[in-house]
Amino acid sequence: MPGLLMLLMGFSFITGLVLAYALLKLGGNKLKLFRKSPWLVKDAIFDWIIQNEDLKSEIRTKTPLPDQSRIKSKMTLASGTLDSLQLRDGFEENKLAIEHFNTSLRKVLRKFNHKNRAHFYELLCTESLLVYLPSLVDDQSSLKNLPFLQQTADWLCYKSCDRGPLKIGLILQGLSPNPNIESIISLGRHDETAYWAGVALRLTDKNPDQGLFQIMISLQGWGRIQCIRLLSEKPSTEIKNWLLIEG
């Protein structure tokens, strides 16, 4: 009888542990369900840029993007400086990071669900994104065949509250089947995002010089410099004249 009692007590203890573990797992999943999506934590940068389009360029371009307080950099740099320095000096290729990026991106482009998007979005919340750009450009043919390219591009361009996801969204917008040229130009009217918008325009192959020109004339800092460098070898007479006088 005492042996049977001990057996029952042991069985009850193990059952309790199993139930506690199950409840913790269920509770964790519920917490994930109720947790706010990372791109909805703050207002979208696209909305902020549109609201400030009419400000004088020197005020608008010198105003940091609304995610500035969340940037973990120890230095405060003028908008677009870090990308410009990396473009000038080069950056170290990280094959493991690129492979992780490509895997995460393709998951979203194949299955546009919340889990895949949340993981990919958080991966992009970093300042060093140029390392991924050559891979995006080189793989554009295969990316264009994936079913959710347009949805992913639109989501990152219009909903991102962080600059990293927005920058990648611009490149995907340039690769998408129906790129929104006006939105790309609007998003490029800030020194932090101008280069990425410029590359997106070139990827669309739809008279990119004219779009670059519209961005250039609205900027005075690094964004203007980078967009000038992205111009074709034979810009229009209008652009040539502007370069001689203003550029």
Side-chain angles (χ1 to χ4, degrees):
M1 198 65 181
L4 180 60
L5 183 62
M6 291 294 292
L7 184 62
L8 288 172
M9 289 176 64
F11 180 74
S12 298
F13 178 72
I14 293 171
T15 304
L17 286 176
V18 171
L19 285 172
Y21 177 76
L23 286 170
L24 282 172
K25 290 289 288 183
L26 181 61
N29 288 333
K30 283 185 177 179
L31 284 173
K32 287 181 181 178
L33 287 173
F34 288 107
R35 189 184 303 161
K36 207 168 189 179
S37 301
W39 54 90
L40 297 176
V41 172
K42 298 289 182 180
D43 292 337
I45 292 177
F46 176 81
D47 295 336
W48 181 87
I49 288 179
I50 295 300
Q51 290 167 9
N52 291 281
E53 266 190 320
D54 294 332
L55 289 177
K56 290 183 179 179
S57 61
E58 62 268 24
I59 298 174
R60 174 170 35 79
T61 57
K62 289 180 181 178
T63 303
L65 292 175
D67 69 333
Q68 185 64 43
S69 62
R70 299 194 295 281
I71 298 296
K72 297 178 181 179
S73 176
K74 296 179 181 179
M75 298 183 292
T76 301
L77 302 172
S79 296
T81 301
L82 184 60
D83 284 341
S84 296
L85 292 175
Q86 289 184 344
L87 285 166
R88 185 194 68 185
D89 300 334
F91 44 85
E92 186 176 350
E93 183 179 352
N94 186 331
K95 292 184 179 179
L96 189 62
I98 294 171
E99 184 179 343
H100 186 197
F101 168 82
N102 286 332
T103 300
S104 183
L105 170 62
R106 279 164 173 74
K107 282 184 178 180
V108 177
L109 297 184
R110 289 191 178 102
K111 194 172 183 181
F112 192 69
N113 60 27
H114 185 274
K115 179 183 176 181
N116 289 342
R117 285 189 291 158
H119 178 76
F120 185 56
Y121 188 94
E122 289 171 351
L123 178 67
L124 301 180
C125 289
T126 175
E127 291 187 271
S128 302
L129 290 166
L130 283 168
V131 67
Y132 304 134
L133 187 53
S135 174
L136 283 169
V137 175
D138 292 344
D139 295 344
Q140 58 180 292
S141 296
S142 63
L143 294 176
K144 288 178 179 179
N145 292 323
L146 296 176
F148 293 105
L149 175 58
Q150 188 71 60
Q151 289 93 325
T152 303
D154 291 344
W155 159 57
L156 291 175
C157 282
Y158 303 134
K159 300 299 183 182
S160 295
C161 60
D162 297 279
R163 65 190 64 187
L166 172 60
K167 290 175 178 179
I168 296 300
L170 279 164
I171 302 304
L172 296 178
Q173 191 70 229
L175 296 174
S176 67
N178 298 297
N180 190 319
I181 304 299
E182 289 186 9
S183 292
I184 294 174
I185 293 170
S186 293
L187 285 167
R189 290 193 173 111
H190 192 282
D191 282 315
E192 186 63 41
T193 52
Y195 172 75
W196 298 84
V199 174
L201 289 169
R202 291 202 64 81
L203 289 170
T204 66
D205 201 27
K206 295 182 178 181
N207 192 13
D209 277 1
Q210 192 55 42
L212 285 164
F213 183 52
Q214 291 184 51
I215 294 175
M216 284 154 38
I217 61 177
S218 69
L219 300 174
Q220 296 184 339
W222 284 112
R224 174 185 283 195
I225 295 169
Q226 296 303 338
C227 285
I228 289 174
R229 290 174 176 170
L230 287 169
L231 286 170
S232 67
E233 294 181 1
K234 296 181 179 179
S236 66
T237 302
E238 178 188 19
I239 295 175
K240 286 180 181 178
N241 290 337
W242 181 86
L243 288 170
L244 289 171
I245 299 170
E246 300 285 345

